[in-house]
Amino acid sequence: MTAPLLSFEDYLRQPPEARMTHYVRKGRLYHVMLPQQFEEPLMEELFDTADLIKEITRKPNGSGFLKSVLRHKKAMLYFTQPSTRTFLSFLAACQLVGIDTAEVRDPSLSSEYKGESQEDGVRVFSSYFDCIVMRDPKPGFCEYMAYLLDATGRSVPILNGGSGKDQHPTQALLDLYTMHRSFFNRGGLRKKRYAFVGDLLRGRAVRSSVYLLSQFQDLEFHFVAPAAFQIAPDLEDHLKTLGISYQLSEDLESVLPEMDCVYMTRLQDEYDLSGESQLVDYSRYSLDLEKVQKMKQDSIILHPLPRRDEIHPEVDADPRAVYWRQLRNGMYLRAALLLHVFGAAHRLQEY
Ligand code: CP
């Protein structure tokens, strides 16, 4: 007799460590859901693969070779929350390694309009495609769909492209890949001071990047935010448990001169319940050239983008601004992740 299916709430009541055990197969990641799935050796493997993909694309016939690696695979890009970068970089990453794609971005054009449940809709995708890249506003929904596909016997890998205010693991990976490349000749990610700035309560990119970075020793975190949007208690508990040094502040200018990395974010007012964003002066959490001049010469500025006013465009030309590089790094990194999930990274050695 098969076990009864767990409800969405009951599934997510299990601790992340227990859920994560179901996301691995044949010694590699199968479902990509949480930043906690990526330990340092795996991150290094993905960073090396991304470097290699980038190098191969520049070689004669390199793009043609890459396109042959996963040309037998098909991916569904199911994005029910707005996206430019994550959607397009997954699309471009699929194109790089030869994966055919289809997309649903507006559920009102699918049979959800006729009353089909989202769960049934995703199960339909698994009949036609070899993997599903998913963005959804409900925290944990991607994870529940991975569980449901596994439990109902027609499973394909699901990659979380952003789950509400909860997690954005591939954004975190591309953030750390960008930091890794920037700090390559400065001892890597360790022994650095990282400031995360802005709406830290509701920014999933910050949550995931802090979870991922917290695996490294000798880091110092500074969380600079309006009091109403400071990091969530569970993230603070996580850092306390690991004994990682962190400070909370509302004053960006006092923190800037000491930082190696400043990670800016926009106000996430799409999650407002009753106009709470209106109550904060977000201009205090912005960078212009005058403030950037107070930073260390070899520091870096990241932003997951999109931005509004929190980084003035005049900062873009400063060598410390690496947020445009993050975009391209994201495409290579996501291509590396697809090769890993399909067990095909070793094929790059054939080139
Ligand atoms: N950084 C990011 O997730 O951007 P999009 O919302 O445009 O995908």
Side-chain angles (χ1 to χ4, degrees), residues 79-308:
F79 277 61
T80 60
Q81 211 183 14
S83 169
T84 299
R85 278 145 287 270
T86 311
F87 176 81
L88 287 176
S89 69
F90 261 116
L91 180 70
C94 286
Q95 289 169 345
L96 266 182
V97 295
I99 301 177
D100 266 342
T101 58
E103 65 194 60
V104 170
R105 302 195 71 178
D106 178 356
S108 73
L109 300 177
S110 77
S111 282
E112 281 180 41
Y113 179 76
K114 294 180 261 180
E116 184 170 51
S117 71
Q118 217 181 344
E119 285 85 347
D120 280 0
V122 176
R123 289 178 69 179
V124 171
F125 303 151
S126 74
S127 295
Y128 304 139
F129 297 94
D130 301 296
C131 74
I132 302 166
V133 183
M134 187 188 297
R135 170 173 288 192
D136 193 86
K138 291 184 288 305
F141 184 68
C142 302
E143 278 199 73
Y144 185 61
M145 281 317 306
Y147 157 73
L148 213 55
L149 293 193
D150 289 352
T152 52
R154 173 69 230 165
S155 177
V156 297
I158 298 184
L159 289 81
N160 178 1
S163 48
K165 287 180 281 185
D166 179 33
Q167 296 287 2
H168 196 352
T170 63
Q171 176 70 45
L173 280 173
L174 78 89
D175 293 341
L176 266 70
Y177 180 46
T178 304
M179 295 169 191
H180 158 84
R181 289 179 66 83
S182 303
F183 294 147
F184 195 74
N185 294 319
R186 292 178 50 207
L189 301 175
R190 293 191 158 77
K191 298 190 177 167
K192 301 282 183 303
R193 291 186 171 133
Y194 297 84
F196 287 85
V197 183
D199 186 343
L200 308 183
L201 181 66
R202 305 178 292 183
R204 60 190 169 203
V206 168
R207 280 177 71 70
S208 289
S209 290
V210 173
Y211 266 107
L212 207 53
L213 266 175
S214 64
Q215 292 190 38
F216 294 86
Q217 301 301 311
D218 311 325
L219 306 184
E220 202 176 292
F221 288 115
H222 291 253
F223 298 111
V224 186
F229 299 132
Q230 257 302 353
I231 55 167
D234 69 312
L235 192 54
E236 236 183 300
D237 289 346
H238 172 72
L239 296 175
K240 280 181 188 154
T241 305
L242 294 176
I244 291 179
S245 163
Y246 71 90
Q247 291 182 27
L248 308 181
S249 167
E250 291 186 53
D251 181 14
L252 177 59
E253 290 196 52
S254 67
V255 164
L256 280 178
E258 303 296 323
M259 294 300 115
D260 297 294
C261 174
V262 176
Y263 191 108
M264 302 296 293
T265 64
R266 76 174 166 85
L267 192 59
Q268 310 277 319
D269 48 10
E270 66 268 40
Y271 296 115
D272 273 8
L273 297 174
S274 56
E276 50 271 40
S277 294
Q278 309 292 327
L279 304 177
V280 298
D281 174 9
Y282 209 73
S283 65
R284 294 181 62 203
Y285 305 94
S286 65
L287 284 180
D288 57 17
L289 216 42
E290 197 183 325
K291 289 185 202 165
V292 170
Q293 301 309 348
K294 294 179 184 153
M295 293 173 59
K296 295 195 320 192
Q297 283 300 329
D298 58 358
S299 58
I300 54 173
I301 304 164
L302 278 79
H303 193 309
L305 302 177
R307 70 174 160 187
R308 290 181 188 163

Side-chain angles (χ1 to χ4, degrees), residues 14-58:
Q14 301 175 90
E17 299 73 30
R19 304 196 307 260
M20 270 163 30
T21 58
H22 304 296
Y23 304 155
V24 177
R25 293 197 194 162
K26 297 182 187 165
R28 57 177 198 269
L29 297 190
Y30 182 79
H31 299 300
V32 175
M33 293 292 154
L34 298 167
Q36 297 94 309
Q37 289 177 273
F38 295 89
E39 292 180 351
E40 196 179 341
L42 176 55
M43 270 190 260
E44 279 172 9
E45 179 194 312
L46 291 170
F47 296 168
D48 288 347
T49 306
D51 285 345
L52 197 53
I53 292 170
K54 186 175 187 176
E55 205 180 309
I56 292 175
T57 56
R58 292 175 176 158

